Amino acid sequence: MSVKTQDVKKGGLFNKFLDVVERVGNKLPHPVTLFVIFSLAVIIISALAAGSEVSVNFDRINMETGETEASTVAAVSLLTVEGIRRIFSEAVTNFTGFAPLGTVLVAMLGVGVAEGTGLVQAALRKLVLSTPKRLITAVVVFAGIMSNVASDAGYVVLVPLGALIFLSFGRHPLAGLAAAFAGVSGGFSANLMISTLDPLLGGLSQAAAQMYQPGYTVDPTANWFFMIASTFIITLVGTVVTERIVEPRLGAYEGESDGAIQGIGTHEAKGLKWAGFSLLGFFLIMLALTLPSNAVLRSDAGTLLSGSAFMGGLVPIIAMAFLIPGVFYGIASGTVKNDKDVAGFMGKAMSSMGGYLVLAFVASQFVAYFGWSNLGTILAVKGADVLEATGMTGIPMLIGFILVAGFINLFIGSASAKWAIMAPVFVPMLMRVGYTPEFTQLAYRIGDSTTNIITPLMSYFAVIIAFAQKYDKKTGIGTLISTMIPYSLMFLAAWIILFVIWFAFGLPLGPGAYIRM
């Protein structure tokens, strides 16, 4: 049975612009070929930049010691004897060390069992039958935002589930994928809870602040109040963009679905019950391993969010959170007879990742070459210098800072790496005119989040393309970018408006954190 969505006439200048982006992007070669071309371009540009002796001087925070040190970074040519040797000798480690690779494959071991036994499908049908259709988009976006508590796990779990949920509702699966991706990545600086990124950015902000005022401290909760408000704003904006812009543009989905939504059968209900019991048991075990001050999965210092085995092991923990209920569901419902069935489901999940592995290999080489060449660092420092040289003050300067952070994010994906470069410039500069490091950090996070979803340099961009190609083999970089641009622009606009309102009323950013010194 084909799933149809309402056909809407694609008019207006903005839709025409998105159509052009999609057409031009999709006329480019296959994403694998495109990343090969990008890699060759970086090699050539690095040689030209190094030949012209391009370099930058700046103060940088050492992310291990927290100390500020003077740095000089010059463009490095990859067309040298050392560069060519490195290209060949480190190709394998570039691939095996590619951050999303292990995350995706380990998580898929658990997700594959949950899918193979039928748990995911039954749980989704239960969700479809119990959730009002009007709220499902907001639920997907909100779940994506909340998933960033678990760092990158949302990319692997929530994004493909978003597509499946929309398909179950008879809606375009790529709209569900886009909504989840927008929440997970575009909403990376919104949450109701403190995420793994907060202590990391706070530490860098603190080190930069101490350049101007020794002893200044920045807490992990420095932006918490603003993040809570942002969660509801981004959920609302993401819902509107999905339903009013993205889904109408996608039009009718002609792929196959499972037909009408069936009720939950007796065996499935029994399986869901035992899956729920097993998940509760797993949750209680994890509480025992994390809650006590001397718990096994805490760090030696007793912390849970920083340097702990819990944070380091989130991916296998999430894999087990799918694997264990999946096995219990399979045994109770009859889809698992023995251990061979479980191993078979894992193998099937891995076999479906072949296309992604090819894409990950070439993408990992491109990201590595870009880092080796120092081109991203040079662009970041030059962008900061340009903004500082404008002489703007007040809200115009802060908005300019947000835009520069968003632009630099197109070239350096790591939020902490960019902040290690930008914080020593902007935190002391804005402290001198009366703005707190917490406020400067907040402005940076807005820019950093909003362009995550439109840059191929984002580590998980290749992963999202691979997920999308499951529903449309023709999906390329152009399709994904044109789909996500409305989210990027609307998130940026909404966040800037919220930022200005927060500034105008002088609201606290978090517990004990304010806008002005």
Side-chain angles (χ1 to χ4, degrees), residues 12-198:
L13 286 177
F14 187 58
N15 267 321
K16 290 178 181 178
F17 163 71
L18 296 178
D19 289 341
V20 170
V21 171
E22 181 175 6
R23 283 197 302 271
V24 171
N26 286 345
K27 283 183 179 179
L28 296 172
H30 188 280
V32 170
T33 307
L34 201 56
F35 276 112
V36 172
I37 294 171
F38 286 166
S39 300
L40 294 174
V42 169
I43 293 172
I44 295 169
I45 293 170
S46 72
L48 295 174
S52 301
E53 299 183 345
V54 176
S55 64
V56 290
N57 300 308
F58 61 101
D59 290 328
R60 179 183 207 151
I61 299 172
N62 186 312
M63 295 174 64
E64 294 182 0
T65 66
E67 297 178 353
T68 304
E69 52 192 32
S71 300
T72 299
V73 172
V76 175
S77 173
L78 302 184
L79 277 179
T80 60
V81 172
E82 293 79 8
I84 294 172
R85 286 174 177 171
R86 194 174 187 185
I87 288 171
F88 280 90
S89 64
E90 297 188 29
V92 174
T93 53
N94 290 342
F95 177 51
T96 57
F98 190 47
L101 184 65
T103 302
V104 171
L105 296 183
V106 172
M108 283 303 294
L109 289 173
V111 173
V113 172
E115 286 187 337
T117 60
L119 171 59
V120 171
Q121 295 85 337
L124 286 177
R125 292 214 311 279
K126 185 77 172 176
L127 175 69
V128 169
L129 294 170
S130 60
T131 304
K133 187 173 183 179
R134 190 71 191 90
L135 297 179
I136 199 63
T137 307
V139 168
V140 169
V141 177
F142 177 77
I145 293 171
M146 293 302 297
S147 74
N148 66 49
V149 170
S151 190
D152 296 340
Y155 291 106
V156 185
V157 177
L158 257 297
V159 173
L161 277 182
L164 284 173
I165 290 170
F166 268 48
L167 186 60
S168 298
F169 272 88
R171 298 170 64 181
H172 203 299
L174 293 186
L177 180 144
F181 184 30
V184 171
S185 194
F188 207 73
S189 286
N191 212 291
L192 298 181
M193 295 182 285
I194 300 301
S195 73
T196 55
L197 187 62
D198 290 279

Side-chain angles (χ1 to χ4, degrees), residues 374-461:
N374 288 334
L375 293 177
T377 301
I378 291 170
L379 282 167
V381 175
K382 293 291 187 184
D385 289 344
V386 168
L387 180 61
E388 190 175 14
T390 62
M392 292 189 297
T393 60
I395 281 294
M397 186 272 295
L398 291 166
I399 293 175
F401 175 53
I402 291 172
L403 297 176
V404 167
F407 175 75
I408 293 173
N409 190 49
L410 296 173
F411 305 99
I412 303 180
S414 170
S416 56
K418 286 193 300 294
W419 194 224
I421 296 168
M422 298 178 71
V425 176
F426 289 104
V427 168
M429 182 178 82
L430 293 176
M431 287 177 77
R432 285 195 292 270
V433 295
Y435 298 120
T436 63
E438 292 89 342
F439 189 52
T440 306
Q441 175 183 288
L442 176 61
Y444 165 75
R445 296 181 71 170
I446 292 173
D448 174 66
S449 289
T450 51
T451 53
N452 276 338
I453 49 182
I454 58 172
T455 172
L457 273 169
M458 198 271 291
S459 298
Y460 285 89
F461 200 82

Side-chain angles (χ1 to χ4, degrees), residues 228-301:
I228 290 173
S230 297
T231 301
F232 299 104
I233 297 297
I234 296 303
T235 298
L236 175 61
V237 173
T239 300
V240 172
V241 170
T242 302
E243 296 181 349
R244 299 294 179 87
I245 299 175
V246 171
E247 202 163 9
R249 280 198 75 253
L250 290 170
Y253 178 63
E254 302 293 346
E256 294 299 315
S257 78
D258 295 330
I261 303 299
Q262 302 294 322
I264 302 298
T266 304
H267 294 301
E268 291 174 319
K270 182 180 178 182
L272 286 173
K273 181 178 72 174
W274 281 101
F277 287 152
S278 68
L279 186 60
L280 176 61
F282 177 71
F283 180 69
L284 293 175
I285 291 171
M286 292 309 303
L287 287 180
L289 293 175
T290 55
L291 277 188
S293 59
N294 61 344
V296 173
L297 294 184
R298 285 181 177 265
S299 69
D300 292 337

